[in-house]
């Protein structure tokens, strides 16, 4: 028996990578599979929540009962999230959002040229979706993720403070991308708590229970 700890709550999530075009057939992405975010969406729905999932490019199936919106770029993910943020109780930012997009993306396919010249890409910064939601006047309870290759304890707590979110979840080991298992550390104003190595779905359920226990009221 699983208690419906999020009954009546609305949960919004981001998951997966983003894809930043270089030209109509090329782009820049990352190794996020979306598995952790999709597992959390499924767990939140199991816990009774009404769940909306903003998904970057991934072939994962939509969890039962979850409303899914597919997006490609960080800007599209930002716009979809901001349009849906009002009235949400919880926002969980699991997506590996590209920090930069190509400022001079080409409308036509780039061609090799005889001189061997290579394209010169310029980058501009993408909006920080998590920080934008956390800064809303009636912000939902915001949960961020951190995947660091070193100094996780220090960087994750710094990130929690910088983005002004009550809960920041650190992936232990950056080689979590694409795997079926994970290991997490939860940082909040009281300190940190370890969720030991387990399957992503089991960890997702544990994380949803931790979030439910922290909601106001
Ligand atoms: O700053 P950094 O990318 O390390 O922070 C990771 C957290 O912030 C994750 O929760 C990620 O989903 C979120 N994020 C975001 N928008 C961005 C960059 C990161 O929502 N542009």
């Amino acid at each position: 028996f699983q208690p419906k700890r999020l009954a009546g709550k609305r949960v919004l999530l981001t998951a997966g990578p983003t894809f930043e075009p270089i030209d109509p057939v090329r782009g820049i992405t990352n190794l996020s599979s979306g598995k952790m975010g999709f597992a959390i969406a499924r767990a939140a729905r199991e816990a009774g929540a009404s769940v909306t999932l903003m998904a970057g490019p991934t072939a994962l199936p939509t969890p039962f009962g979850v409303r899914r919106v597919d997006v490609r770029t960080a800007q599209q993910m930002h716009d979809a999230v901001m349009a849906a943020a009002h009235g949400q109780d919880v926002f969980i930012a699991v997506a590996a959002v590209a920090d930069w997009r190509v400022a001079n993306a080409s409308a036509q396919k780039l061609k090799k040229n005889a001189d061997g010249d290579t394209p010169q890409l310029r980058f501009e910064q993408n909006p920080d979706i998590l920080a934008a939601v956390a800064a809303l006047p009636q912000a939902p309870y915001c949960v961020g993720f951190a995947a660091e290759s070193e100094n996780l304890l220090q960087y994750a707590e710094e990130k929690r403070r910088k983005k002004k979110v009550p809960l920041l979840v650190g992936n232990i080991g950056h080689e979590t991308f694409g795997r079926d298992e994970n290991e997490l550390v939860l940082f909040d104003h009281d300190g940190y708590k370890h969720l030991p190595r387990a399957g992503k779905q089991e960890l997702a359920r544990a994380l949803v229970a931790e979030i439910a226990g922290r909601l106001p009221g």
Side-chain angles (χ1 to χ4, degrees), residues 18-20 28 74 97-103 122-126:
T18 64
F19 178 94
E20 308 298 327
I28 296 171
V97 183
D99 290 314
W100 308 285
R101 64 173 167 261
V102 180
R122 283 187 298 104
F123 290 92
E124 59 195 2
Q125 200 161 325
N126 275 324

Side-chain angles (χ1 to χ4, degrees), residues 29-177:
T29 185
N30 61 64
L31 292 176
S32 169
S33 65
K35 284 178 186 169
M36 194 68 220
F38 275 57
I40 297 167
R42 181 178 292 112
R45 157 74 198 200
E46 284 171 3
S50 162
V51 180
T52 304
L53 174 60
M54 304 309 185
T58 155
L60 293 176
T62 309
F64 176 79
V66 166
R67 177 174 162 255
R68 172 189 187 160
V69 178
D70 285 314
V71 297
R72 242 151 78 103
T73 67
Q75 187 65 51
Q76 288 167 357
M77 188 176 275
H78 170 272
D79 296 349
V81 164
M82 297 315 277
H86 182 77
Q88 299 287 344
D89 298 291
V90 180
F91 175 59
I92 313 174
V94 199
V97 183
D99 290 314
W100 308 285
R101 64 173 167 261
V102 180
N104 56 338
S106 170
Q108 304 302 332
K109 186 182 172 190
L110 297 171
K111 305 298 282 178
K112 263 183 288 200
N113 85 19
D115 308 332
D117 292 344
T118 54
Q120 304 297 310
L121 299 182
R122 283 187 298 104
F123 290 92
E124 59 195 2
Q125 200 161 325
N126 275 324
D128 188 315
I129 303 169
L130 177 57
V133 174
L136 289 172
Q138 290 176 334
Y141 184 86
C142 287
V143 182
F145 267 73
E148 297 291 346
S149 55
E150 58 177 2
N151 292 337
L152 176 66
L153 291 191
Q154 181 199 335
Y155 288 153
E157 179 56 19
E158 277 174 16
K159 198 165 288 188
R160 191 181 79 81
R161 287 160 193 264
K162 196 180 81 197
K163 302 208 184 204
K164 297 191 168 63
V165 298
L167 185 62
L168 203 288
V169 182
N171 288 301
I172 300 191
H174 58 296
E175 69 289 359
T176 170
F177 279 23

